Amino acid sequence: MGRCRVKNRHLKDRDGWWHYRRRVPSDVAGSVESPTVDQALKTKDVIEARKRRDRITTDLERGWQKIRDAKARRQFPASVGGDEEAVAFAAFLHERDSGVDDDRDATTLGELYADEFDALAEKEAVGPSLGDLGEARGLVAATPEGKRLVRLGNAARGVVSITLAGESFLEQAALSLGTKRLYRGVYRRCSDHLPHPQQVGERQAREFIQRLARVSTASKVGNYRAALRALWDHLGLAKAMWSGFRIDAGKAAIRRDVWTEEETVQLLEGSSRKLRLAILIAAHTGAREGEIATMVYDAELDFISFPISKTEAGVRVIPCHDDIRLFVQEWVADPWSKFTIRNRFSELKIVLGFPASKVFHSFRHTLASRLHECEVQEATAAKIIGHKHPSLTFGWYGSKVGVETLRKPINAVRYPASVLAFGRVAEA
């Protein structure tokens, strides 16, 4: 377990609650979403906080080492050991994608592993107790070295677990970090229930999705199907097996309701100084927790930019609302991470007794509703909130609309003085 010589290193006290905060090492910073790690430890006890910090440190360092190893394999694939299966699979993909003729005389990597396996089997077969090569092969396949050779031989022929195949796909896929993280989780969970991709048949795929649908929402099932279709397409397999049938999700999605003015006042009244700022910014911009955590304010142009979002449309620049200008300046000087915003808001919501239909994300629905009440055009509202507009006219050509033109519709949304008063208290 990772331990720190300085007792409270990587620990930060925020209103009596301990948080883990650490800068990501420079050699792996380009491969992760944020340059810093900021995570709520959910304890006020410093002794317990140190224990949780040590566990997080151990997990982080293991993950960073995997990133370093992956980079080393890409630079020196022939000389790096330790993950031979990944190297063998990478060799198979290179051979497949380079258009090498399978009928050439040169020996493939898979054949080399198979020959090595047979050599071990023949060695067992010529012993005093065995005379059958088939029986010897069975015995060798049960040994650690035999299992290793079978696994490497399969990888060199493209037969690997869904997890490993998924890592190879995600390494070169042109997807956002959020989508890669989502797909990676799908592949890891599917590996526990499905065999190698080449061994999955249409009936097995259908039954797996149907079982998933009985306990999941329609959106989750859609994410699984999209992730698996993308991987099967990458592997040159029949991706249609994941989408050629209809399913009924057994778990209904939770409807997100808007926050009323009275409820917003309740939230602000019960929240801490920093959480008030996040709530007020969300109410006026419709930004998600992660967008607020990484937002940037341009004082000269009076623009707010959201450089990191879970969707492409969420990466946007909008004018700063007149009512929150001072709140935004205070927030960007010392922001919370998205996890801190989420955890603190969830704790507050539970204490106040709000239902599951009311979450931080509900502020996006609230702002959309208020823009509609102010008779703001749908395309303009989508640009402000960060939604993708489905129509060609507004979705494609509308993206060229100047940021300054959004100032008037943004300022059209006004909250009562009872709401903004809490922001002024936070400012003081």
Side-chain angles (χ1 to χ4, degrees):
M1 178 178 291
R3 290 187 174 273
C4 298
R5 294 183 179 180
V6 181
K7 285 187 176 180
N8 290 346
R9 190 181 183 190
H10 306 319
L11 292 179
K12 187 172 182 178
D13 185 355
R14 291 175 175 163
D15 299 332
W17 291 89
W18 288 101
H19 288 247
Y20 183 94
R21 185 171 177 81
R22 182 179 181 182
R23 185 173 295 278
V24 176
S26 58
D27 59 336
V28 299
S31 302
V32 296
E33 184 173 358
S34 175
T36 59
V37 178
D38 197 331
Q39 183 174 341
L41 297 177
K42 300 181 181 180
T43 181
K44 294 185 176 181
D45 183 359
V46 67
I47 303 300
E48 180 62 24
R50 290 171 186 164
K51 293 179 181 178
R52 297 182 184 184
R53 174 212 45 203
D54 292 341
R55 289 195 291 269
I56 293 174
T57 297
T58 300
D59 293 339
L60 284 173
E61 290 176 350
R62 286 175 179 168
W64 291 338
Q65 189 57 47
K66 289 182 179 179
I67 293 175
R68 295 186 182 103
D69 291 343
K71 288 183 176 180
R73 285 197 301 274
R74 287 196 292 272
Q75 295 174 2
F76 313 104
S79 60
V80 176
D83 198 352
E84 297 175 286
E85 188 176 6
V87 174
F89 185 54
F92 160 76
L93 293 176
H94 172 73
E95 180 178 293
R96 185 199 67 181
D97 297 337
S98 61
V100 177
D101 187 1
D102 290 335
D103 295 331
R104 69 195 189 288
D105 294 333
T107 303
T108 66
L109 185 61
E111 290 171 344
L112 290 175
Y113 289 127
D115 290 343
E116 190 173 345
F117 178 87
D118 282 341
L120 287 176
E122 289 177 3
K123 185 177 180 181
E124 291 290 336
V126 297
S129 60
L130 286 175
D132 181 67
L133 184 59
E135 185 179 355
R137 283 183 175 135
L139 291 176
V140 169
T143 65
E145 180 63 15
K147 291 179 180 178
R148 169 182 167 272
L149 290 173
V150 171
R151 188 173 65 254
L152 295 179
N154 287 336
R157 294 182 176 86
V159 182
V160 292
S161 68
I162 294 176
T163 299
L164 182 55
E167 287 297 328
S168 173
F169 161 59
L170 295 175
E171 185 177 340
Q172 52 79 46
L175 301 170
S176 67
L177 288 175
T179 301
K180 286 187 177 182
R181 186 165 55 247
L182 173 66
Y183 282 15
R184 184 172 287 110
V186 170
Y187 300 146
R188 185 172 60 251
R189 289 185 286 271
C190 285
S191 288
D192 296 333
H193 304 282
L194 295 170
H196 301 314
Q198 289 82 355
Q199 298 172 344
V200 178
E202 291 186 11
R203 180 176 178 179
Q204 195 170 16
R206 183 188 296 260
E207 291 176 350
F208 174 77
I209 293 297
Q210 296 287 9
R211 288 196 303 271
L212 178 68
R214 285 195 287 270
V215 295
S216 305
T217 63
S219 61
K220 181 176 180 179
V221 174
N223 289 336
Y224 268 71
R225 298 174 91 170
L228 292 167
R229 280 198 304 269
L231 177 59
W232 257 241
D233 187 44
H234 170 71
L235 296 174
L237 301 174
K239 65 178 181 178
M241 70 168 61
W242 299 106
S243 56
F245 55 94
R246 181 181 179 276
I247 54 98
D248 295 316
K251 186 177 178 182
I254 298 176
R255 177 184 174 84
R256 301 307 184 191
D257 295 327
V258 301
W259 292 103
T260 65
E261 292 177 359
E262 294 77 12
E263 291 171 337
T264 304
V265 169
Q266 280 185 268
L267 290 171
L268 293 169
E269 188 175 17
S271 60
S272 64
R273 167 178 168 272
K274 289 295 292 293
L275 186 56
R276 287 175 183 172
L277 296 177
I279 291 173
L280 287 166
I281 293 171
H284 287 83
T285 65
R288 303 175 176 91
E289 300 105 315
E291 294 170 355
I292 294 176
T294 57
M295 62 184 286
V296 178
Y297 176 64
D298 187 331
E300 182 178 352
L301 297 175
D302 194 31
F303 288 168
I304 298 173
S305 62
F306 300 106
I308 298 176
S309 177
K310 66 179 292 186
T311 65
E312 184 178 350
V315 178
R316 63 197 186 281
V317 179
I318 61 174
C320 182
H321 195 293
D322 291 341
D323 290 341
I324 62 169
R325 189 170 293 111
L326 294 178
F327 309 154
V328 168
Q329 292 173 354
E330 183 179 353
W331 173 266
V332 297
D334 183 26
W336 277 351
S337 72
K338 68 177 181 180
F339 301 107
T340 303
I341 298 172
R342 184 176 302 166
N343 293 338
R344 293 294 179 84
F345 187 84
S346 296
E347 293 167 1
L348 173 64
K349 190 194 78 165
I350 293 172
V351 169
L352 295 177
F354 286 113
S357 60
K358 299 289 184 76
V359 293
F360 195 89
H361 192 85
S362 296
F363 285 113
R364 290 176 65 78
H365 298 258
T366 304
L367 181 61
S369 177
R370 286 182 166 269
L371 289 169
H372 180 68
E373 291 170 357
C374 295
E375 298 183 350
V376 174
Q377 289 187 356
E378 183 181 357
T380 303
K383 186 72 175 175
I384 293 171
I385 298 174
H387 282 163
K388 183 178 180 181
H389 200 279
S391 75
L392 176 63
T393 303
F394 287 123
W396 178 260
Y397 298 104
S399 62
K400 300 175 175 61
V401 173
V403 177
E404 189 61 38
T405 61
L406 302 175
R407 190 174 298 277
K408 183 177 179 180
I410 284 178
N411 283 323
V413 175
R414 295 288 178 178
Y415 285 88
S418 58
V419 172
L420 297 176
F422 286 99
R424 297 189 185 99
V425 171
E427 177 193 350

